Amino acid sequence: MELPDVTPIRLQPHGNIPNNKRLPVLLYKEVFSDKSNLENQFKSSFKQNDWGGSWVNGVFNYHHYHSRSHEVLGVASGEAELALGGPGGEVVKVQAGDMLVLPAGTGHCRKSASQDFSVVGAYPAGQENYDICTETDRMIDKQKNIERVPLPAADPVFGSGGPLMQHWN
């Protein structure tokens, strides 16, 4: 499988959204050359690479983050604009076949989306017990959790030799 274009996005803390001081968000464009049944392709790849707790839905329309886990979002259908990093953060456009890997602490929020927008989400092995934190949570309390979250053993799609391993090590 050919590796996609991957863009690292570094985010600074913003208000009460901590983001991640060490690790960039990774935006993968066109992960799979075959665009049919992207939901199953993402689910299968995530499972094969030990990213579990998978679910299929959209992205919340409020700024939130996870302090106890990293998260992957594979866009199974449609397109959307997502705000990363908290209010006033970076807005990225994603479409079916794209993928985002969000390190623990990364604020994210759906700004707009097509009616058919859907993502497959998952978490590295051992991190499926994620929390949902918002701007009302005390960032200082959550920062300790974020610093303790271990690196995943593999990229969610490309395994131990994938782009995540290169960008996060």
Side-chain angles (χ1 to χ4, degrees):
M1 183 184 298
E2 188 176 322
L3 295 179
D5 288 333
V6 177
T7 303
I9 303 168
R10 293 214 171 263
L11 300 168
Q12 298 300 314
H14 189 278
N16 238 9
I17 303 286
N19 295 308
N20 195 297
K21 295 176 183 176
R22 298 183 298 125
L23 305 173
V25 170
L26 299 178
L27 172 60
Y28 297 58
K29 293 303 238 177
E30 299 181 21
V31 173
F32 300 107
S33 54
D34 178 4
K35 299 287 188 233
S36 62
N37 208 347
L38 288 168
E39 181 178 317
N40 282 344
Q41 288 187 75
F42 278 119
K43 281 182 177 178
S44 175
S45 292
F46 295 168
K47 183 176 182 179
Q48 182 178 1
N49 291 296
D50 288 329
W51 286 65
S54 77
W55 49 268
V56 178
N57 205 330
V59 174
F60 294 137
N61 64 352
Y62 58 88
H63 295 278
H64 66 286
Y65 64 94
H66 310 291
S67 75
R68 296 192 305 244
S69 61
H70 305 300
E71 181 177 41
V72 62
L73 302 173
V75 182
S77 63
E79 58 189 24
E81 287 189 342
L82 304 177
L84 302 176
E90 183 152 345
V91 176
V92 297
K93 292 182 181 184
V94 293
Q95 61 186 4
D98 294 348
M99 181 173 83
L100 281 166
V101 182
L102 306 173
T106 301
H108 51 292
C109 167
R110 183 188 77 241
K111 300 297 281 180
S112 66
S114 60
Q115 285 191 320
D116 61 340
F117 177 66
S118 169
V119 299
V120 178
Y123 311 89
Q127 297 179 26
E128 296 90 348
N129 187 22
Y130 62 90
D131 56 355
I132 298 176
C133 308
T134 66
E135 295 175 276
T136 62
D137 290 296
R138 284 178 30 100
M139 188 170 74
I140 193 96
D141 297 336
K142 301 300 179 180
Q143 193 65 45
K144 292 175 188 158
N145 291 345
I146 293 165
E147 291 167 4
R148 287 191 296 258
V149 176
L151 291 176
D155 182 284
V157 170
F158 300 97
S160 61
L164 180 137
M165 310 319 288
Q166 298 162 12
H167 287 280
W168 282 15
N169 284 331

